[in-house]
Amino acid sequence: MMRAEWQKMRHTILLPIHVVVPLLGSGVFLLYYWMGNRHGITEISGFMQIMGTAFPFLAAMVCSRSIQLEEDNHFQTFLGTTKRSKALFAKCAVLHIQSLAAVLLAIGNFAVGYYVLFYAEIMKNGGAVWGQSIGWIFWEFWGMAALAMWMGSLPLYWIHLFLTLRFSKNLSLGFGVAEMLISALLLTGLGTGIWWFFPCSWGSHFSTEVLQRYMDPNGWETWGNLPWIKICLLIAAALCAILFLWFHQYQGRACDE
């Protein structure tokens, strides 16, 4: 089923979106930082926060287009099989793999560019915290940040698959815009103590939390005691369960515009 999903998406705009948008977005940030000679923790944090803020709309756009492919085919993939859960799982898996590739492209491109453009500053400022291991720590951080960003985006795909299937792609896209605004607001003081209840803000906050841990050599010691981790896991599990339980009864009549 996953192979069939790949084949369906092969000649659509979905694959280019997952390549062009990450490279273009990270490239714009690098150009802006380079022209303004801006470098430091604030700039790294800003890049990750804006990337996380844009994720809800991008997820809505990708899910809407993916379901449009099913609608054009009269939902035969979903309704023409008794293994509906496996069909939905295959679609989710392919979308998640594509989103992981997009995150790695965006953060990897930014990390390499930042390292090349601001190598001296990285060695100078980072060395004060991590000493001679700065080179390894720098790349390890970006790997963890990418993983955090991707994990924070997983529930977004479940939410927008449900909205597109149950209602319409227009509602899903509109909800994605609203999520972007909410995510941006939750990056301010308004989000203190409540951001973990809003999956649209997880990507930006997860990656920011990783950055804070790396800025403190002992930061990982308290990682397991953070209350929001359990809350996020419970919310993610509930959203996933709701999607698959609801989809088991889906009749393919809810995608009319």
Side-chain angles (χ1 to χ4, degrees):
M1 287 187 176
M2 288 183 62
R3 180 178 296 179
E5 284 295 325
W6 282 111
Q7 291 297 326
K8 280 188 292 187
M9 299 180 184
R10 192 174 171 185
H11 300 294
T12 68
I13 197 174
L14 289 174
L15 294 181
I17 284 177
H18 287 88
V19 175
V20 175
V21 172
L23 293 178
L24 183 62
S26 57
V28 168
F29 269 91
L30 286 172
L31 180 62
Y32 173 69
Y33 290 161
W34 176 68
M35 292 181 65
N37 194 29
R38 299 169 61 90
H39 50 80
I41 299 303
T42 301
E43 284 68 35
I44 293 176
S45 177
F47 166 72
M48 293 190 300
Q49 288 178 350
I50 293 180
M51 180 179 171
T53 300
F55 226 121
F57 180 75
L58 295 175
M61 184 169 58
V62 167
C63 290
S64 297
R65 179 54 186 155
S66 179
I67 296 302
Q68 183 67 48
L69 295 176
E70 302 298 336
E71 191 174 12
D72 293 342
N73 198 34
H74 305 291
F75 295 100
Q76 291 183 12
T77 303
F78 290 156
L79 304 181
T81 178
T82 57
K83 300 178 180 179
R84 292 189 178 184
S85 296
K86 289 186 177 181
L88 181 61
F89 177 83
K91 181 171 289 292
C92 288
V94 171
L95 291 175
H96 290 328
I97 291 172
Q98 291 179 347
S99 70
L100 176 60
V103 169
L104 291 174
L105 276 176
I107 290 185
N109 186 53
F110 183 85
V112 171
Y114 193 89
Y115 190 80
V116 172
L117 294 174
F118 305 114
Y119 174 80
E121 287 74 12
I122 292 172
M123 299 302 294
K124 174 182 173 183
N125 298 327
V129 179
W130 298 304
Q132 297 299 318
S133 62
I134 173 61
W136 166 250
I137 292 292
F138 180 81
W139 300 111
E140 181 187 279
F141 156 70
W142 285 112
M144 292 295 292
L147 180 62
M149 182 72 69
W150 176 69
M151 292 181 66
S153 75
L154 297 181
L156 296 176
Y157 287 83
W158 307 334
I159 291 171
H160 287 284
L161 284 173
F162 170 78
L163 291 175
T164 308
L165 285 166
R166 176 61 181 85
F167 300 102
S168 70
K169 65 181 181 181
N170 291 335
L171 187 143
S172 178
L173 291 171
F175 193 75
V177 173
E179 285 179 311
M180 285 179 59
L181 297 176
I182 294 172
S183 179
L185 286 175
L186 293 177
L187 288 172
T188 67
L190 295 174
T192 304
I194 64 170
W195 65 263
W196 45 74
F197 295 106
F198 298 85
C200 59
S201 71
W202 288 3
S204 53
H205 278 93
F206 282 9
S207 54
T208 301
E209 285 285 340
V210 169
L211 176 60
Q212 293 176 353
R213 301 299 149 187
Y214 273 93
M215 289 308 299
D216 180 0
N218 299 317
W220 292 105
E221 294 180 3
T222 59
W223 180 257
N225 299 324
L226 297 174
W228 56 264
I229 294 180
K230 294 180 180 179
I231 295 174
C232 290
L233 287 174
L234 288 174
I235 293 175
L239 289 173
C240 185
I242 290 171
L243 173 64
F244 278 86
L245 289 173
W246 169 82
F247 186 74
H248 187 69
Q249 305 298 325
Y250 181 63
Q251 297 299 320
R253 297 191 299 265
C255 280
D256 298 328
E257 300 298 326

